[in-house]
Amino acid sequence: MAAQALALLREVARLEAPLEELRALQSVIQAVPLSELREQAAELRLGPLFSLLNENHREQTTLCVSILERLLQAVEPVHVARNLKVDLQKGLTHPDDSVKILTLSQVGRIVENSDAVTEILNNADLLKQIVYCIGGENLSVAKAAIKSLSRISLTQAGLEALFESNLLDDLKNVMKTNDIVRYRVYELIVEISSVSSESLNYCTTSGLVTQLLRELTGEDVLVRATCIEMVTSLAYTYHGRQYLAQEGVIDQISNIIVGADSDPFSSFYLPGFVKFFGNLAVMDSPQQICERYPVFVEKVFEMTESQDPTMIGVAVDTIGILGSNVEGKQVLQKTGTRFERLLMRLGHQAKNASTELKIRCLDAVSSLLYLPPEQQTDDLLRMAESWFSSLSRDSLELFRGISNQPFPELHCAALKVFTAIANQPWAQKLMSNSPGFVEYVVDRSVEHDKASKDAKYELVKALANSKTIAEIFGNPNYLRLRTYLSEGPYYVKPIATTAVEGAD
């Protein structure tokens, strides 16, 4: 089969209009195992196929791209980098995006290979073409170019090639294309900056990080909304947070939140700014962030009372993030009756809001109420119980009612709430005393889809593995949970059949 493919490839190289042969070659090589193609890699002459890409013939181009995608998988990245340099450069400027994507996929293979990547670093023209691919209309082409440049920048040589040569000027020129392309370059810069403090230093020296931060704190509200997402990505790293703090950026974001009340357009950027602080609090110290930037907590509470579902959703998500660890829970607890009122609103929204907001509320409740076994002190258990009772007059029935609704996503989100509290003794007592609750938990007929069965299994597992469950639920119910657990999430009880004498 591989021999047939090689023969067809030679035939293609010989003919001027080889459409029939290309169709035949495409059919044959799809059937040839890659292992066989790799054995014949030395004999693969790909130049003629690349040459055929230069002709303005749509079907011919499509066939060549399909064939090259397959054959190039059999060729080592070093061989591609060394022997197909010219073809790669032409591919990056080809008018057909499928050719650019094919070429960039090969660049992707090359930059992942430590032996091959030096070939690209020494090819200034090829690097320049990759940079200019960021400015193309096709998003897939731009994303592939960003990914390759980001990967190249993981080495010292790559950082020097990108930031200490004419490529930096090329990058700045590409940014002038339009707003969308400028944000793509910022995306690349943030990806590179996030790798290490040294990478961040190269990016700040280039002036591009400063430019991004200037736009973040500028007057254009739509630009702010876009830039805060990228700055949040940078803040996921310790060195990124240090830099933002040293440059006074976090203080500036806080001040913008303070001034948001008098800005009629604040709804465009406020959700992103609040999310930024929510993530910052969890990655650093919730207590320190909330004490230093009280406007953040104030704004989150304020947003939960908004009439705008977008604002409520962001506030709910942020409360869930903030309350995902014990320190954050304690910060919220210190707000006293104000947080109790927030919990009541959370319970109300979980029952009455749109499906999407209900799910976000349920996820936040799960995050707030979960306590790992090693952190279950008497104080924290009392706090969790108090929070649960604040959500509704009968919180257990509220979530049970939601879990009975015929929407798998809602059903799973409600089960997740039960799972979050399943290892806490107070919750086990509530469940045990609720008529029919244990039967509901072990009833497999309630769940029909995989996600729901998985969610129910997680609940059963959390209950069955708790040290207090046998005492609180009683041994018979504990054994039912263990049986469910051992049978797995997808067990189907065999249907008994009765043989009738004389039947065929």
Side-chain angles (χ1 to χ4, degrees), residues 213-247:
L213 297 177
R214 204 162 44 237
E215 293 205 46
L216 171 71
T217 53
E219 295 303 315
D220 190 320
V221 294
L222 294 176
V223 169
R224 276 184 188 175
T226 305
C227 292
I228 190 62
E229 290 184 25
M230 299 179 199
V231 174
T232 301
S233 295
L234 183 57
Y236 281 127
T237 64
Y238 176 70
H239 65 271
R241 292 195 296 280
Q242 271 192 318
Y243 172 77
L244 293 172
Q246 286 163 6
E247 294 297 308

Side-chain angles (χ1 to χ4, degrees), residues 376-394:
Q376 290 185 9
T377 62
D378 288 344
D379 285 347
L380 288 174
L381 285 168
R382 274 195 297 271
M383 181 189 75
E385 183 177 7
S386 165
W387 286 6
F388 186 76
S389 63
S390 296
L391 290 161
S392 179
R393 278 198 294 268
D394 189 341

Side-chain angles (χ1 to χ4, degrees), residues 98-155:
S98 69
V99 179
K100 285 187 183 131
I101 290 169
L102 166 72
T103 309
L104 284 164
S105 72
Q106 292 310 305
V107 171
R109 291 180 68 217
I110 292 166
V111 299
E112 293 286 342
N113 185 294
S114 56
D115 296 323
V117 69
T118 51
E119 297 292 332
I120 280 191
L121 292 176
N122 295 328
N123 189 338
D125 289 335
L126 184 63
L127 283 172
K128 182 175 181 174
Q129 293 304 335
I130 297 170
V131 166
Y132 276 95
C133 279
I134 298 175
E137 289 184 16
N138 187 297
L139 182 60
S140 297
V141 171
K143 290 278 186 190
I146 289 169
K147 186 178 178 182
S148 293
L149 290 169
S150 180
R151 183 67 182 75
I152 286 168
S153 302
L154 291 178
T155 63

